[in-house]
Amino acid sequence: MTTFVGVADMAAWTRDLGPERIIEQMSRTIEQDFARWQSFDLVPRIASHTPIGVIELMPTSDGQLYAFKYVNGHPSNPGRGYQTVTAFGALADVDNGYPVLLAEMTLLTALRTAATSAMASRILARPGSKRMAMIGAGSQAEFQALGHRAALGIQELAIWDVDPAAMRKAQRNLEALGFTVRLATSGEDAVRGADVITTCTADKALATVLFDEWIEPGVHINAIGGDCPGKTELEPAILRRGPVFVEHTPQTRVEGEIQHQGDDFAVTELWQVIAGSAAGRESDQQVTIFDSVGFAIEDFSALRFLHERVQGTGHSIEIDLVAEPEDPKDLWGIIGAPVPAV
Protein backbone atom coordinates (compact mmCIF):
# COMPACT_ATOMS: atom_id res chain seq x y z
CA MET A 1 0.00 0.00 0.00
CA THR A 2 1.07 3.60 -0.68
CA THR A 3 0.40 6.59 1.55
CA PHE A 4 -1.68 9.20 -0.31
CA VAL A 5 -2.07 12.83 0.73
CA GLY A 6 -4.69 14.63 -1.35
CA VAL A 7 -5.62 18.30 -1.39
CA ALA A 8 -8.10 18.14 1.50
CA ASP A 9 -5.70 16.19 3.69
CA MET A 10 -2.77 18.47 2.80
CA ALA A 11 -4.81 21.55 3.69
CA ALA A 12 -6.00 20.01 6.97
CA TRP A 13 -2.49 18.84 7.90
CA THR A 14 -1.08 22.31 7.16
CA ARG A 15 -3.83 23.99 9.17
CA ASP A 16 -3.47 21.63 12.14
CA LEU A 17 0.32 21.70 12.37
CA GLY A 18 0.51 25.38 11.37
CA PRO A 19 2.00 26.66 8.10
CA GLU A 20 4.64 28.81 9.81
CA ARG A 21 5.82 25.87 11.89
CA ILE A 22 5.87 23.60 8.82
CA ILE A 23 7.87 26.11 6.77
CA GLU A 24 10.40 26.61 9.55
CA GLN A 25 10.87 22.88 10.15
CA MET A 26 10.91 22.09 6.43
CA SER A 27 13.61 24.72 5.89
CA ARG A 28 15.79 22.83 8.37
CA THR A 29 15.15 19.57 6.48
CA ILE A 30 16.11 21.24 3.19
CA GLU A 31 19.26 22.61 4.83
CA GLN A 32 20.16 19.11 6.05
CA ASP A 33 19.78 17.76 2.53
CA PHE A 34 21.76 20.64 1.00
CA ALA A 35 24.57 19.81 3.43
CA ARG A 36 24.80 16.37 1.77
CA TRP A 37 24.26 17.74 -1.73
CA GLN A 38 26.91 15.57 -3.35
CA SER A 39 25.09 12.37 -2.35
CA PHE A 40 22.18 13.21 -4.71
CA ASP A 41 21.62 12.67 -8.41
CA LEU A 42 21.87 16.20 -9.80
CA VAL A 43 19.33 16.15 -12.62
CA PRO A 44 18.11 19.46 -14.09
CA ARG A 45 14.35 19.59 -14.57
CA ILE A 46 12.95 17.97 -17.71
CA ALA A 47 10.75 20.58 -19.35
CA SER A 48 8.17 20.54 -22.14
CA HIS A 49 7.55 24.13 -23.29
CA THR A 50 4.59 25.43 -25.28
CA PRO A 51 3.61 29.01 -26.19
CA ILE A 52 1.18 29.13 -23.26
CA GLY A 53 3.17 27.39 -20.54
CA VAL A 54 5.45 24.60 -19.42
CA ILE A 55 5.10 21.12 -17.91
CA GLU A 56 8.10 19.79 -16.02
CA LEU A 57 9.38 16.70 -14.23
CA MET A 58 11.87 17.17 -11.37
CA PRO A 59 13.55 13.89 -10.28
CA THR A 60 16.38 13.07 -7.86
CA SER A 61 17.61 10.31 -5.55
CA ASP A 62 20.06 9.95 -2.68
CA GLY A 63 20.43 6.22 -3.25
CA GLN A 64 17.94 5.30 -0.54
CA LEU A 65 14.89 7.31 -1.58
CA TYR A 66 13.80 8.49 -5.01
CA ALA A 67 11.48 11.45 -5.59
CA PHE A 68 9.94 13.27 -8.48
CA LYS A 69 7.57 16.18 -8.93
CA TYR A 70 5.26 16.92 -11.86
CA VAL A 71 4.61 20.67 -12.11
CA ASN A 72 3.16 23.07 -14.65
CA GLY A 73 3.47 26.81 -15.12
CA HIS A 74 0.76 28.57 -17.16
CA PRO A 75 0.68 32.35 -16.53
CA SER A 76 -2.61 32.86 -18.39
CA ASN A 77 -4.44 30.29 -16.27
CA PRO A 78 -5.98 32.68 -13.68
CA GLY A 79 -7.80 34.52 -16.45
CA ARG A 80 -9.36 31.19 -17.44
CA GLY A 81 -10.26 30.12 -13.91
CA TYR A 82 -7.24 27.90 -13.32
CA GLN A 83 -4.18 28.24 -11.09
CA THR A 84 -0.87 29.30 -12.60
CA VAL A 85 0.98 26.40 -10.97
CA THR A 86 -0.20 22.93 -9.97
CA ALA A 87 1.84 19.90 -8.94
CA PHE A 88 1.93 16.41 -7.54
CA GLY A 89 4.81 14.16 -6.55
CA ALA A 90 5.95 10.78 -5.32
CA LEU A 91 8.55 9.32 -2.99
CA ALA A 92 9.83 5.77 -3.51
CA ASP A 93 12.01 3.23 -1.72
CA VAL A 94 15.09 2.63 -3.87
CA ASP A 95 15.56 -0.84 -2.37
CA ASN A 96 12.50 -2.30 -4.11
CA GLY A 97 11.33 0.60 -6.29
CA TYR A 98 7.92 0.74 -4.61
CA PRO A 99 6.30 4.17 -4.11
CA VAL A 100 5.80 4.92 -0.42
CA LEU A 101 4.09 8.30 -0.87
CA LEU A 102 1.93 9.98 -3.51
CA ALA A 103 0.98 13.57 -2.71
CA GLU A 104 -0.53 16.73 -4.06
CA MET A 105 2.25 19.30 -4.35
CA THR A 106 0.55 22.57 -5.23
CA LEU A 107 0.27 23.46 -1.55
CA LEU A 108 3.41 21.52 -0.67
CA THR A 109 5.43 23.40 -3.29
CA ALA A 110 4.26 26.73 -1.88
CA LEU A 111 5.47 25.57 1.54
CA ARG A 112 8.81 24.29 0.22
CA THR A 113 9.45 27.40 -1.91
CA ALA A 114 8.91 29.57 1.16
CA ALA A 115 11.08 27.20 3.20
CA THR A 116 13.90 27.47 0.65
CA SER A 117 13.71 31.28 0.57
CA ALA A 118 13.62 31.40 4.36
CA MET A 119 16.67 29.13 4.52
CA ALA A 120 18.57 31.36 2.09
CA SER A 121 17.64 34.50 4.00
CA ARG A 122 18.61 32.93 7.32
CA ILE A 123 22.03 32.20 5.85
CA LEU A 124 22.57 35.33 3.71
CA ALA A 125 20.56 38.25 5.11
CA ARG A 126 22.30 40.65 7.48
CA PRO A 127 21.67 40.17 11.20
CA GLY A 128 18.78 42.17 12.61
CA SER A 129 16.78 42.25 9.37
CA LYS A 130 13.25 43.48 10.15
CA ARG A 131 11.66 44.79 6.95
CA MET A 132 10.75 42.79 3.86
CA ALA A 133 9.54 43.97 0.48
CA MET A 134 7.59 41.67 -1.79
CA ILE A 135 7.23 42.41 -5.48
CA GLY A 136 4.44 40.10 -6.56
CA ALA A 137 1.45 39.47 -4.29
CA GLY A 138 0.18 36.22 -5.77
CA SER A 139 -0.07 32.75 -4.30
CA GLN A 140 3.42 32.79 -2.72
CA ALA A 141 3.00 36.02 -0.73
CA GLU A 142 1.57 34.64 2.52
CA PHE A 143 3.92 31.65 2.57
CA GLN A 144 7.00 33.82 1.96
CA ALA A 145 6.00 36.18 4.75
CA LEU A 146 5.48 33.36 7.24
CA GLY A 147 8.79 31.78 6.28
CA HIS A 148 10.67 35.00 6.87
CA ARG A 149 8.97 35.66 10.18
CA ALA A 150 10.05 32.19 11.31
CA ALA A 151 13.60 32.62 9.96
CA LEU A 152 14.35 36.27 10.76
CA GLY A 153 11.52 37.64 12.88
CA ILE A 154 10.21 39.78 9.99
CA GLN A 155 7.01 41.62 10.97
CA GLU A 156 6.96 44.63 8.61
CA LEU A 157 6.01 44.07 4.98
CA ALA A 158 5.75 46.33 1.96
CA ILE A 159 3.92 44.87 -1.04
CA TRP A 160 3.73 45.87 -4.67
CA ASP A 161 1.89 44.18 -7.51
CA VAL A 162 0.51 45.42 -10.81
CA ASP A 163 -2.81 43.83 -9.78
CA PRO A 164 -4.48 45.94 -7.04
CA ALA A 165 -6.81 43.06 -6.17
CA ALA A 166 -3.82 40.81 -5.48
CA MET A 167 -2.34 43.43 -3.17
CA ARG A 168 -5.61 43.77 -1.26
CA LYS A 169 -5.85 39.98 -0.98
CA ALA A 170 -2.33 39.75 0.42
CA GLN A 171 -2.93 42.63 2.83
CA ARG A 172 -6.12 41.06 4.13
CA ASN A 173 -4.55 37.65 4.68
CA LEU A 174 -1.27 38.92 6.10
CA GLU A 175 -2.79 41.38 8.55
CA ALA A 176 -4.97 38.53 9.83
CA LEU A 177 -1.70 36.65 10.44
CA GLY A 178 -0.33 39.49 12.58
CA PHE A 179 1.89 41.34 10.08
CA THR A 180 2.14 45.09 9.64
CA VAL A 181 1.47 45.58 5.94
CA ARG A 182 2.04 48.63 3.75
CA LEU A 183 0.68 48.69 0.22
CA ALA A 184 3.34 50.40 -1.87
CA THR A 185 2.67 52.76 -4.74
CA SER A 186 5.43 51.26 -6.91
CA GLY A 187 8.20 48.72 -6.85
CA GLU A 188 10.67 51.45 -5.93
CA ASP A 189 8.45 52.55 -3.04
CA ALA A 190 8.16 48.96 -1.81
CA VAL A 191 11.90 48.29 -1.57
CA ARG A 192 12.81 51.57 0.11
CA GLY A 193 14.36 50.73 3.50
CA ALA A 194 13.94 46.96 3.04
CA ASP A 195 16.40 44.47 4.53
CA VAL A 196 15.10 41.60 2.38
CA ILE A 197 13.48 41.80 -1.05
CA THR A 198 11.57 38.92 -2.61
CA THR A 199 10.56 39.06 -6.26
CA CYS A 200 7.91 36.55 -7.33
CA THR A 201 6.01 37.44 -10.49
CA ALA A 202 4.22 35.03 -12.81
CA ASP A 203 4.69 36.21 -16.40
CA LYS A 204 6.92 33.86 -18.39
CA ALA A 205 8.75 36.74 -20.05
CA LEU A 206 11.91 38.81 -19.98
CA ALA A 207 10.88 41.55 -17.57
CA THR A 208 12.41 43.97 -15.10
CA VAL A 209 10.55 44.45 -11.83
CA LEU A 210 13.60 45.40 -9.74
CA PHE A 211 16.10 48.05 -10.81
CA ASP A 212 19.69 48.55 -9.73
CA GLU A 213 19.21 52.17 -8.66
CA TRP A 214 16.62 51.04 -6.08
CA ILE A 215 18.99 48.64 -4.30
CA GLU A 216 20.40 49.92 -1.01
CA PRO A 217 23.62 48.60 0.59
CA GLY A 218 23.20 45.51 2.77
CA VAL A 219 19.99 44.21 1.25
CA HIS A 220 19.43 40.52 0.54
CA ILE A 221 17.42 39.64 -2.57
CA ASN A 222 15.50 36.41 -3.10
CA ALA A 223 14.80 36.35 -6.84
CA ILE A 224 12.41 33.42 -7.05
CA GLY A 225 10.18 34.32 -10.01
CA GLY A 226 12.67 33.77 -12.83
CA ASP A 227 12.35 30.01 -13.34
CA CYS A 228 12.40 29.22 -17.05
CA PRO A 229 14.26 30.21 -20.22
CA GLY A 230 13.38 33.74 -21.24
CA LYS A 231 11.97 34.77 -17.86
CA THR A 232 13.84 37.20 -15.60
CA GLU A 233 12.90 39.85 -13.03
CA LEU A 234 16.08 41.77 -12.13
CA GLU A 235 17.93 44.47 -14.01
CA PRO A 236 21.19 42.70 -14.96
CA ALA A 237 23.32 45.34 -13.21
CA ILE A 238 22.00 44.09 -9.86
CA LEU A 239 23.82 40.80 -10.42
CA ARG A 240 27.11 42.68 -10.29
CA ARG A 241 26.33 44.37 -6.97
CA GLY A 242 27.38 41.38 -4.87
CA PRO A 243 27.77 37.62 -4.79
CA VAL A 244 25.11 35.56 -6.54
CA PHE A 245 24.08 32.27 -4.94
CA VAL A 246 22.27 29.52 -6.85
CA GLU A 247 21.00 25.98 -6.41
CA HIS A 248 22.30 23.84 -9.31
CA THR A 249 24.45 25.99 -11.59
CA PRO A 250 23.74 24.20 -14.92
CA GLN A 251 19.99 24.59 -14.40
CA THR A 252 20.22 28.20 -13.24
CA ARG A 253 22.33 29.20 -16.24
CA VAL A 254 19.41 28.11 -18.44
CA GLU A 255 16.47 29.33 -16.34
CA GLY A 256 17.60 31.88 -13.75
CA GLU A 257 18.49 35.54 -13.61
CA ILE A 258 22.02 34.66 -14.78
CA GLN A 259 20.80 33.08 -18.04
CA HIS A 260 22.07 36.04 -20.11
CA GLN A 261 25.36 36.49 -18.25
CA GLY A 262 27.49 33.86 -19.96
CA ASP A 263 29.12 30.72 -18.64
CA ASP A 264 32.03 32.64 -17.11
CA PHE A 265 29.77 34.63 -14.76
CA ALA A 266 30.81 33.60 -11.24
CA VAL A 267 28.22 32.13 -8.87
CA THR A 268 28.31 30.14 -5.63
CA GLU A 269 26.07 27.15 -5.05
CA LEU A 270 24.23 27.61 -1.76
CA TRP A 271 25.04 24.10 -0.56
CA GLN A 272 28.72 25.11 -0.50
CA VAL A 273 27.96 27.83 2.05
CA ILE A 274 25.94 25.41 4.16
CA ALA A 275 28.74 22.82 3.98
CA GLY A 276 31.33 25.45 4.96
CA SER A 277 33.32 25.27 1.72
CA ALA A 278 32.38 28.75 0.46
CA ALA A 279 31.71 32.15 1.99
CA GLY A 280 28.23 33.61 2.39
CA ARG A 281 27.61 37.22 3.39
CA GLU A 282 30.89 38.92 4.31
CA SER A 283 29.70 42.31 5.61
CA ASP A 284 26.56 44.17 6.67
CA GLN A 285 26.92 46.49 3.66
CA GLN A 286 27.23 43.72 1.09
CA VAL A 287 24.35 43.05 -1.30
CA THR A 288 23.57 39.33 -1.63
CA ILE A 289 21.40 37.71 -4.30
CA PHE A 290 19.80 34.26 -4.23
CA ASP A 291 18.92 33.41 -7.83
CA SER A 292 16.48 30.60 -7.06
CA VAL A 293 14.75 28.58 -9.77
CA GLY A 294 13.75 25.61 -7.60
CA PHE A 295 15.60 22.32 -7.68
CA ALA A 296 14.54 18.69 -7.27
CA ILE A 297 16.40 18.23 -3.98
CA GLU A 298 14.03 20.75 -2.38
CA ASP A 299 11.04 18.68 -3.51
CA PHE A 300 12.76 15.53 -2.27
CA SER A 301 13.16 17.22 1.13
CA ALA A 302 9.53 18.36 1.16
CA LEU A 303 8.23 14.88 0.32
CA ARG A 304 10.55 13.27 2.87
CA PHE A 305 9.39 15.77 5.50
CA LEU A 306 5.72 15.19 4.66
CA HIS A 307 6.05 11.41 4.72
CA GLU A 308 7.64 11.49 8.18
CA ARG A 309 5.27 14.06 9.69
CA VAL A 310 1.93 12.90 8.31
CA GLN A 311 2.13 9.43 9.83
CA GLY A 312 -0.45 8.95 12.57
CA THR A 313 -2.14 12.31 11.99
CA GLY A 314 -5.20 11.00 10.16
CA HIS A 315 -4.39 13.30 7.23
CA SER A 316 -3.55 10.56 4.74
CA ILE A 317 -5.01 7.34 3.39
CA GLU A 318 -3.49 4.12 2.10
CA ILE A 319 -4.17 3.27 -1.54
CA ASP A 320 -3.38 0.19 -3.63
CA LEU A 321 -1.32 2.06 -6.20
CA VAL A 322 0.97 -0.91 -6.92
CA ALA A 323 -0.27 -4.33 -7.96
CA GLU A 324 0.93 -6.93 -5.44
CA PRO A 325 -0.04 -10.45 -6.57
CA GLU A 326 0.32 -13.25 -4.04
CA ASP A 327 2.81 -14.82 -6.43
CA PRO A 328 5.13 -12.05 -7.70
CA LYS A 329 5.45 -13.91 -11.00
CA ASP A 330 1.69 -14.30 -11.50
CA LEU A 331 0.36 -10.82 -12.32
CA TRP A 332 -2.31 -12.51 -14.46
CA GLY A 333 -3.73 -14.06 -11.28
CA ILE A 334 -4.96 -10.67 -10.02
CA ILE A 335 -7.46 -10.54 -12.88
CA GLY A 336 -9.02 -13.88 -11.93
CA ALA A 337 -10.55 -16.30 -14.37
CA PRO A 338 -11.71 -14.25 -17.38
CA VAL A 339 -15.04 -15.00 -19.04
CA PRO A 340 -14.32 -16.89 -22.27
CA ALA A 341 -15.09 -15.00 -25.44
CA VAL A 342 -18.17 -16.25 -27.22
Side-chain angles (χ1 to χ4, degrees), residues 283-327:
S283 75
D284 285 354
Q285 295 302 301
Q286 188 178 47
V287 173
T288 53
I289 303 106
F290 180 40
D291 182 4
S292 177
V293 299
F295 191 63
I297 293 175
E298 295 153 21
D299 299 308
F300 175 101
S301 302
L303 287 164
R304 180 168 75 85
F305 178 88
L306 174 67
H307 188 239
E308 292 172 357
R309 298 305 197 281
V310 79
Q311 302 301 319
T313 65
H315 296 314
S316 65
I317 61 173
E318 298 298 309
I319 60 173
D320 55 347
L321 184 64
V322 174
E324 296 188 73
E326 185 174 337
D327 178 353

Side-chain angles (χ1 to χ4, degrees), residues 154-168:
I154 295 286
Q155 294 283 359
E156 299 177 38
L157 305 171
I159 299 173
W160 167 249
D161 196 293
V162 294
D163 180 359
M167 287 204 295
R168 291 193 297 270

Side-chain angles (χ1 to χ4, degrees), residues 243-257:
V244 176
F245 301 87
V246 302
E247 290 133 326
H248 183 47
T249 304
Q251 180 172 299
T252 309
R253 290 203 189 280
V254 173
E255 301 176 350
E257 295 295 328

